[in-house]
Amino acid sequence: MTPALPFKIFVVEDNEWYGELLMHRLSQNPNHSVSRFTTAQACLEQLGEKPDFITLDYSLPDAKGEQVLRQIRERLRGTEVVVISGQEDVSTAVNMLQQGAYDYLVKDENTLDRLWNLVGKVEQQVCLRRENTQLRQQIGARHGAGQAILGEHASMQAVQTLITKAARTTITVSVSGETGTGKELVAKAIHFQSSRASLPFVAVNMAAIPRELVESELFGHEKGAFTGAVARRVGRLEEANGGTLFLDEIADLDLSLQAKLLRVLQEREVTRVGGNQPIPFDVRLIVATHRDLLTEVQAGRFREDLYYRLLGLPIALPPLRQRGADVLMLAEVFVRDFCQLNNLPPRQLTDSAREQLKAHPFPGNVRELKAVVELATVLADGEFIHGEDLPLRAGKATIGPGSQLSLREQTTAIVQSCLDEMNGDVLAVAARLNMGKSTIYRMLQQQELHLG
């Protein structure tokens, strides 16, 4: 697997003969671009070229290996460094590995072969990383165009505005909304419209990770840190370095780990479990939850200091049942995309199907709508999707004691239904329901209701 771009190697070695030997061996691959430096300063001055791989002599005339490695790690997070030394000192090797060296080789008759194998492994990783970057750019072109967050309702237009504003800066963003409203899509839209679009987007669902593994998942661990830690693992914070880290269902984070996360975010550096070397990182943080975090704080389940650290720019996603005509617009998009993806002839929603979709409360929100219309597309005979093809749990919204809606939501549903039936005539609706017209106007102003 050969990268399209040259694989750039720096050889830092002050011994003339040994440096030429390394240069000769590593240049045998025509895809390798190899440069040699005899001092630490000369190497550090050229780090702007962003080499993919560096061989570093431990004893240089102007600096020790650990000093040079520390500066390389601070400036180039993605470059792998192999330290080559004439001394076989276990404590030195361990120290260099803890500081982030890819490997530590002692100069002997096997060094060149071992180095060649290491270069091959890193080159494969670089190739995969470049391919992933291209894929992210392709995905980003779609997300960046704003196609990930669909909706014409005023509430969704407000969300789009906040996404655009968030993407211009690195402010922390907290996304709230019921399950299925599209919180991760908002996070991706922000990332792919930002200057970090070509860098990693790492998503972590806090509710899906066993409590005892959360610390290792976020911060990483060193080999032997605990039973089962058979190798070093890079945590999600390091993995997202330079890009965006999305922590979904942040309210599920255990209290004991909330304090550790707060410290890590404040210090902008992380220490792997079982390690003692702080590792600096730079991530754009986006968090999400379907709970009210302030209520969790008041109940003692979430730290107040972490709450204010994460609040940043809040974006609240409305439930689908409050988005009016967006239901039908989204349904048509989902049907069209599903047909294209599965090479099916186009399908159309009949009036009966559209009426059922408008009446259904969709407790599962956009996620439920997508699942419903995709299944209906499969079940439909011919080019039309009928009402009976829709696998809706309730068929239509239930109003009354058995409803899944709150009293406020039931009232809104009744008023909205009358508004639709009476073509937006507020005075007629107020008379029919025996309620004040000012109440209806206020609900319209607060975007609980919509006209048309």
Side-chain angles (χ1 to χ4, degrees):
M1 186 181 299
T2 303
L5 297 175
F7 184 73
K8 192 174 296 185
I9 301 175
F10 279 8
V11 172
V12 188
E13 172 63 60
D14 67 321
N15 183 289
E16 184 72 24
W17 174 82
Y18 200 76
E20 289 297 326
L21 184 65
L22 292 176
M23 288 276 293
H24 173 73
R25 183 71 173 97
L26 296 174
S27 297
Q28 289 179 352
N29 186 326
N31 192 59
H32 292 175
S33 171
V34 188
S35 302
R36 182 181 163 222
F37 306 91
T38 58
T39 65
Q41 186 63 31
C43 169
L44 295 173
E45 288 176 352
Q46 298 301 316
L47 288 184
E49 295 183 17
K50 296 183 178 180
D52 300 299
F53 190 91
I54 297 176
T55 73
L56 176 63
D57 184 15
Y58 180 77
S59 299
L60 293 167
D62 57 340
K64 288 296 184 182
E66 59 261 21
Q67 299 170 328
V68 185
L69 177 62
R70 188 179 305 113
Q71 293 188 60
I72 294 173
R73 287 269 66 88
E74 289 175 354
R75 294 170 59 182
L76 296 177
R77 300 295 300 167
T79 299
E80 299 295 357
V81 181
V82 169
V83 179
I84 301 179
S85 175
Q87 56 178 337
E88 189 171 358
D89 183 1
V90 174
S91 62
T92 300
V94 170
N95 180 51
M96 298 302 284
L97 292 173
Q98 288 180 338
Q99 288 193 36
Y102 188 75
D103 209 335
Y104 182 94
L105 302 181
V106 177
K107 293 179 180 178
D108 57 27
E109 66 275 9
N110 298 316
T111 303
L112 292 181
D113 289 337
R114 292 176 62 192
L115 179 62
W116 183 258
N117 291 332
L118 290 174
V119 169
K121 292 179 181 178
V122 173
E123 190 172 4
Q124 287 184 343
Q125 295 172 5
V126 169
C127 182
L128 289 173
R129 189 162 61 236
R130 288 173 178 168
E131 290 178 348
N132 289 337
T133 297
Q134 292 176 351
L135 180 59
R136 283 197 299 269
Q137 289 173 342
Q138 294 169 1
I139 296 173
R142 296 196 296 270
H143 285 283
Q147 297 178 11
I149 309 298
L150 298 171
E152 297 176 353
H153 191 267
S155 60
M156 293 308 295
Q157 294 301 308
V159 168
Q160 285 281 14
T161 299
L162 291 175
I163 288 173
T164 301
K165 290 182 177 181
R168 295 173 185 157
T169 69
T170 59
I171 188 173
T172 298
V173 177
S174 54
V175 188
S176 60
E178 296 179 6
T179 300
T181 48
K183 295 186 286 294
E184 185 168 347
L185 285 180
V186 168
K188 287 181 177 178
I190 293 171
H191 172 75
F192 286 116
Q193 290 181 41
S194 74
S195 60
R196 298 174 179 244
S198 62
L199 296 165
F201 175 87
V202 177
V204 185
N205 187 331
M206 307 306 296
I209 306 173
R211 181 173 301 180
E212 62 273 13
L213 297 180
V214 172
E215 186 173 5
S216 171
E217 184 76 15
L218 290 179
F219 309 145
H221 64 251
E222 297 290 350
K223 180 179 179 180
F226 50 84
T227 303
V230 296
R232 171 191 289 175
R233 171 171 180 162
V234 171
R236 295 307 187 98
L237 280 158
E238 286 185 77
E239 186 182 339
N241 189 51
T244 300
L245 178 65
F246 174 55
L247 299 181
D248 197 6
E249 299 301 350
I250 188 66
D252 284 62
L253 182 62
D254 190 73
L255 265 174
S256 62
L257 286 176
Q258 290 177 24
K260 294 182 179 180
L261 177 61
L262 177 64
R263 188 202 63 79
V264 165
L265 295 177
Q266 288 175 338
E267 300 297 328
R268 308 298 290 179
E269 60 182 25
V270 61
T271 302
R272 300 188 188 114
V273 178
N276 53 25
Q277 180 67 38
I279 302 167
F281 66 88
D282 170 30
V283 299
R284 167 43 164 314
L285 185 64
I286 303 178
V287 300
T289 178
H290 72 279
R291 303 183 195 175
D292 184 336
L293 269 187
L294 188 55
T295 299
E296 295 296 303
V297 170
Q298 294 168 347
R301 293 187 292 267
F302 202 85
R303 291 179 62 101
E304 185 175 16
D305 46 7
L306 181 58
Y307 167 76
Y308 287 112
R309 179 66 181 77
L310 298 178
L311 184 60
L313 174 65
I315 298 180
L317 290 177
L320 184 57
R321 59 184 172 274
Q322 293 180 7
R323 290 174 53 182
D326 279 2
V327 173
L328 298 182
M329 183 270 290
L330 287 169
E332 290 170 352
V333 169
F334 292 150
V335 170
R336 181 199 65 200
D337 290 351
F338 186 81
C339 289
Q340 291 177 351
L341 182 64
N342 293 276
N343 296 315
L344 296 173
R347 300 275 199 270
Q348 295 183 33
L349 295 165
T350 63
D351 288 344
S352 65
R354 294 167 69 88
E355 288 301 318
Q356 288 196 29
L357 289 173
K358 287 196 307 183
H360 189 66
F362 285 104
N365 292 293
V366 179
R367 184 180 297 139
E368 179 186 358
L369 173 64
K370 187 173 187 290
V372 163
V373 298
E374 286 183 351
L375 179 54
T377 304
V378 174
L379 296 176
D381 294 320
E383 62 178 301
F384 293 105
I385 298 175
H386 300 278
E388 56 266 26
D389 296 321
L390 295 169
L392 298 172
R393 281 181 283 176
K396 58 183 178 180
T398 303
I399 305 297
S403 173
Q404 302 178 54
L405 307 181
S406 67
L407 178 60
R408 179 70 176 177
E409 289 167 342
Q410 291 186 49
T411 301
T412 302
I414 293 171
V415 178
Q416 183 64 64
S417 177
C418 288
L419 272 175
D420 293 340
E421 182 181 341
M422 297 181 173
N423 298 316
D425 189 335
V426 173
L427 295 179
V429 172
R432 178 173 175 177
L433 297 178
N434 193 27
M435 64 188 302
K437 61 182 183 295
S438 60
T439 300
I440 300 177
Y441 283 128
R442 185 171 61 253
M443 294 172 73
L444 286 165
Q445 185 179 25
Q446 295 174 350
Q447 298 181 358
E448 293 177 271
L449 301 173
H450 63 90
L451 297 174

